[in-house]
Amino acid sequence: MAQPQAITYQYDLFSEQRQDVIRPFPTSETVCGASGTKAFQVKEAGEQERALTPDLMSLVLSHDNIKAAYKQVKRNKGVAGIDQMPTGDFAEWYSQNAETLQSELYNGAYQPQGVKQVEIPKPNGGKRKLGIPTVTDRIIQQAISQVLNPIYERKFSDHSYGFRPNRNAHQALKKGSEYVSEGRVIVVDMDLKTFFDVVNHDRLMYLLSTTISDKTLLWLIRKYLQSGILIDGVVSQRTEGMPQGSPLSPLLSNIVLDELDKELERRGHKFVRYADDCNIYVRSQRAGERLLASISVFIETKLKLLVNKEKSRVCPVNHTKFLGYTIQRDGSLSIANESVKRFKEKGFGVNRDARKRIKPCPTGGSTM
DNA sequence: TTTCGAAAAAC
RNA sequence: GUUGUUUUUCGAAA
């Protein structure tokens, strides 16, 4: 590997002809005798260890991966970022600038652009701050996410249901009602305060480095975490938290909260987590309160996250809502219809029969 | 078999 | 002025 190889390949995202990216620079790390350019498949993630992930950037920037990322971003129909380039223009832009972009990404010179901040109202009246990266940055992040996702999928806890392929809220509810059917009718409802605002960058980067050894990729992710926020023309650098609205955020949040899953598993608890909404099922109020106290300490000292003490609580399962439903003490699910609730507020008399009864949960071991 | 899009839910 | 991920349903095309 004396000389950097010439880049001669097709950049057109619409052409069927393609040639995969040849890495323009030699790998900085040498991995115990293995040839640096030897291709490895992410899907064969069976025995993947940190030593096998020194060159994920090639996968991130491969033609197929970028093309898939572009399609995904385009399908979301999001608006342009601060550079005003709409999603539809990326293909043409990329055909002109792919070489420069890829070189910068490979040698670490790439600097993500600022994030446009937008506030939108939440259903419950509050405001939600969104960070909108440029189309280019959304596509790069999506491309990273597509590579990291299969690597992390096999490491994630079976009790985690949010933002994961082939998993949905209903499966989480089914698992929760199974635990209730076993007699765990008290729930510890953990609420993490403004999760996206307080994630510790150093801790997240450390977690990533235990699985990912591609330093170029790690630095790129760190740059995305730190990417500046543009408010009224002034760019301020972010020191903690991650932008809500970037394609990488859901995966990174699961990586951070996987530590919580692993700790709860280590302690042998029965729980279900959907994003930052974590429910632990126990048999008595006293056990629940003791658990809430000790897990809160773990979350705040070890994970460096904040527990919302006002909204976290211990109560019988049928006194709280989880993912839009309420689990009854017999393990059945009921849904509180929002429109019914609005009727009630407007003065139409509504009795509790307005809550629609959903089928009881069978304790089946069926997968998927 | 595959591809695409619209619309709903969860966070 | 409206981001992101996942899931599901419906529909269309070859």
Side-chain angles (χ1 to χ4, degrees):
Chain A
M1 278 190 273
Q3 304 236 343
Q5 291 172 286
I7 319 171
T8 52
Y9 52 98
Q10 177 65 262
Y11 284 117
D12 188 352
L13 288 176
F14 297 115
S15 94
E16 293 305 316
Q17 279 283 2
R18 65 165 194 86
Q19 258 180 289
D20 264 336
V21 174
I22 296 163
R23 187 171 177 140
F25 299 98
T27 319
S28 55
E29 289 189 349
T30 359
V31 183
C32 37
S35 171
T37 49
K38 190 76 181 170
F40 64 89
Q41 301 292 327
V42 169
K43 47 179 85 163
E44 297 172 355
E47 283 78 36
Q48 273 212 14
E49 291 301 328
R50 189 173 173 277
L52 298 178
T53 60
D55 187 18
L56 289 180
M57 283 300 281
S58 294
L59 291 176
V60 170
L61 297 176
S62 74
H63 180 279
D64 280 353
N65 196 51
I66 292 288
K67 184 177 177 178
Y70 169 60
K71 279 171 133 175
Q72 179 62 38
V73 170
K74 198 170 68 166
R75 186 165 51 176
N76 290 333
K77 299 186 184 301
V79 294
I82 60 171
D83 63 354
Q84 306 300 329
M85 185 179 79
T87 38
D89 287 6
F90 178 79
E92 194 190 337
W93 180 89
Y94 190 67
S95 66
Q96 307 285 326
N97 299 284
E99 204 162 325
T100 313
L101 180 64
Q102 299 224 0
S103 297
E104 286 184 1
L105 286 165
Y106 272 129
N107 66 25
Y110 181 77
Q111 186 60 44
Q113 298 181 75
V115 174
K116 182 161 81 175
Q117 189 159 75
V118 173
E119 284 191 351
I120 61 171
K122 282 196 288 189
N124 59 15
K127 279 182 180 176
R128 160 179 269 171
K129 282 178 189 167
L130 297 179
I132 306 175
T134 64
V135 168
T136 305
D137 285 322
R138 293 212 292 272
I139 289 167
I140 295 170
Q141 289 192 42
Q142 177 67 27
I144 296 171
S145 170
Q146 286 166 4
V147 170
L148 294 192
N149 235 320
I151 295 175
Y152 276 98
E153 264 305 305
R154 71 191 179 86
K155 300 172 76 84
F156 282 157
S157 163
D158 194 41
H159 299 83
S160 162
Y161 290 87
F163 308 130
R164 292 183 61 185
N166 304 314
R167 283 169 174 251
N168 58 34
H170 197 85
Q171 292 168 325
L173 283 159
K174 186 178 164 188
K175 197 65 181 173
S177 56
E178 274 181 35
Y179 293 143
V180 173
S181 300
E182 293 166 359
R184 297 181 168 81
V185 293
I186 305 294
V187 62
V188 180
D189 188 354
M190 302 282 313
D191 188 278
L192 299 183
K193 192 180 281 181
T194 55
F195 171 73
F196 282 97
D197 294 337
V198 298
V199 176
N200 184 286
H201 286 182
D202 291 331
R203 176 156 192 85
L204 175 51
M205 291 312 299
Y206 164 73
L207 281 176
L208 286 166
S209 71
T210 59
T211 301
I212 309 296
S213 61
D214 187 329
K215 289 201 168 67
T216 311
L217 179 58
L218 290 174
W219 274 106
L220 180 59
I221 293 173
R222 180 179 274 277
K223 280 184 180 176
Y224 273 119
L225 289 175
Q226 296 172 336
S227 58
I229 315 160
L230 187 81
I231 308 166
D232 300 328
V234 181
V235 179
S236 58
Q237 182 153 350
R238 176 189 293 271
T239 55
E240 60 181 10
M242 58 178 91
Q244 272 192 81
S246 73
L248 215 41
S249 296
L251 174 63
L252 295 184
S253 75
N254 269 339
I255 289 173
V256 170
L257 291 178
D258 184 59
E259 285 207 305
L260 174 59
D261 299 338
K262 294 293 153 59
E263 176 69 9
L264 289 171
E265 280 171 6
R266 195 180 66 79
R267 300 188 189 185
H269 292 303
K270 308 289 185 184
F271 70 99
V272 161
R273 185 174 67 79
Y274 193 102
D276 55 353
D277 208 346
C278 186
N279 278 9
I280 312 162
Y281 302 91
V282 296
R283 294 181 188 275
S284 76
Q285 183 76 19
R286 262 192 67 185
E289 278 164 14
R290 207 166 51 228
L291 179 55
L292 176 59
S294 69
I295 285 295
S296 295
V297 170
F298 174 82
I299 288 172
E300 298 196 335
T301 62
K302 287 279 177 46
L303 304 189
K304 305 237 192 310
L305 295 171
L306 291 174
V307 175
N308 190 338
K309 294 197 168 53
E310 286 74 34
K311 290 172 80 177
S312 298
R313 60 186 186 137
V314 181
C315 65
V317 279
N318 55 327
H319 289 181
T320 187
K321 202 177 75 169
F322 181 49
L323 304 178
Y325 289 79
T326 298
I327 304 177
Q328 304 298 336
R329 294 179 75 100
D330 64 355
S332 66
L333 298 175
S334 58
I335 178 171
N337 195 326
E338 287 301 317
S339 62
V340 168
K341 211 161 127 191
R342 268 178 237 124
F343 270 126
K344 194 188 283 182
E345 283 159 7
K346 285 178 182 176
F348 297 92
V350 170
N351 56 33
R352 60 183 176 281
D353 290 333
R355 310 182 112 212
K356 191 182 162 195
R357 207 82 189 170
I358 309 290
K359 57 174 191 282
C361 175
T363 51
S366 72
T367 46
M368 319 228 331

